[in-house]
Amino acid sequence: PQMRVACGVSVVIQLIAILYLLQAGNVISIGLPFDRRVYYFFAVYLMLNTIMNLLSRSMKEKLVMTPLSLITAICFGITAMNG
């Protein structure tokens, strides 16, 4: 049960992150304030997520989720620097 709660929290955080990134790219407009700290937070969070995925025992997580998390972290880093 504890892992499911952690997974649920992670999903919510990542959904919020997606909304911020889509708004920064002018794909959607939902009134979220632009704050570089938010983008840096998500970049760091996703880099930690990438490291945790690399340490996972699950091969699927290593092969699928690690690159996706890394790419998303890079996108947030670029957005934070160039926003």
Side-chain angles (χ1 to χ4, degrees), residues 6-27:
C7 182
V9 170
S10 179
V11 167
V12 170
I13 290 171
Q14 290 181 35
L15 287 174
I16 293 168
I18 289 168
L19 292 175
Y20 268 95
L21 200 56
L22 288 173
Q23 182 167 295
N26 295 318
V27 175

Side-chain angles (χ1 to χ4, degrees), residues 10-71:
S10 179
V11 167
V12 170
I13 290 171
Q14 290 181 35
L15 287 174
I16 293 168
I18 289 168
L19 292 175
Y20 268 95
L21 200 56
L22 288 173
Q23 182 167 295
N26 295 318
V27 175
I28 62 171
S29 178
I30 56 175
L32 295 172
F34 181 85
D35 185 349
R36 288 183 195 275
R37 293 175 293 187
V38 171
Y39 295 93
Y40 280 118
F41 166 79
F42 285 126
V44 170
Y45 171 80
L46 289 164
M47 285 305 292
L48 292 173
N49 193 4
T50 301
I51 293 167
M52 296 307 291
N53 287 338
L54 279 171
L55 298 174
S56 173
R57 291 184 203 157
S58 167
M59 207 46 139
K60 185 192 320 184
E61 208 165 334
K62 285 182 182 181
L63 295 176
V64 177
M65 298 312 292
T66 300
L68 290 175
S69 184
L70 179 61
I71 290 167

